[in-house]
Amino acid sequence: IRNMELNRFMLYVGDKYYVPDTSYDNYFKDMGDIYHGQDLLPGNTQNYFIVFKIAKPKINDNFLLRYQDVIDGGNLIRIKLNE
């Protein structure tokens, strides 16, 4: 069992980055489950939303979602996100 901390997610849009904004969660709850640190079970697929408030992107901006998880010893764990 593991969970992820919202403050370790970052959405990069062009040359700026954004962190999750939980103040808008009520506007999106009809679309599915919003992630608030729920336990994630190994071997199970679970779908959640994370809400970000961003400035209007430029037409050619790239989007990149990152999660940084540092464990004892300073190792960086990369988590694969499904499309």
Side-chain angles (χ1 to χ4, degrees):
I1 297 177
R2 78 180 269 137
N3 63 30
M4 297 183 285
E5 296 178 31
L6 279 178
N7 63 350
R8 293 187 184 204
F9 280 96
M10 289 177 277
L11 178 64
Y12 290 83
V13 180
D15 61 351
K16 297 181 175 139
Y17 76 92
Y18 303 89
V19 294
D21 187 341
T22 58
S23 66
Y24 290 90
D25 287 357
N26 285 333
Y27 295 99
F28 295 94
K29 66 182 178 183
D30 62 327
M31 297 178 69
D33 294 325
I34 297 172
Y35 188 74
H36 288 286
Q38 296 93 323
D39 289 339
L40 304 174
L41 303 173
N44 289 343
T45 300
Q46 297 164 279
N47 296 310
Y48 293 102
F49 285 94
I50 299 174
V51 179
F52 295 85
K53 181 180 179 183
I54 65 171
K56 184 175 181 179
K58 296 176 186 152
I59 192 91
N60 59 348
D61 276 346
N62 290 316
F63 288 70
L64 175 65
L65 179 64
R66 287 189 176 174
Y67 180 78
Q68 184 174 1
D69 189 7
V70 179
I71 60 173
D72 291 338
N75 295 324
L76 177 65
I77 297 174
R78 294 181 182 163
I79 298 172
K80 181 180 177 184
L81 300 173
N82 294 327
E83 294 182 19

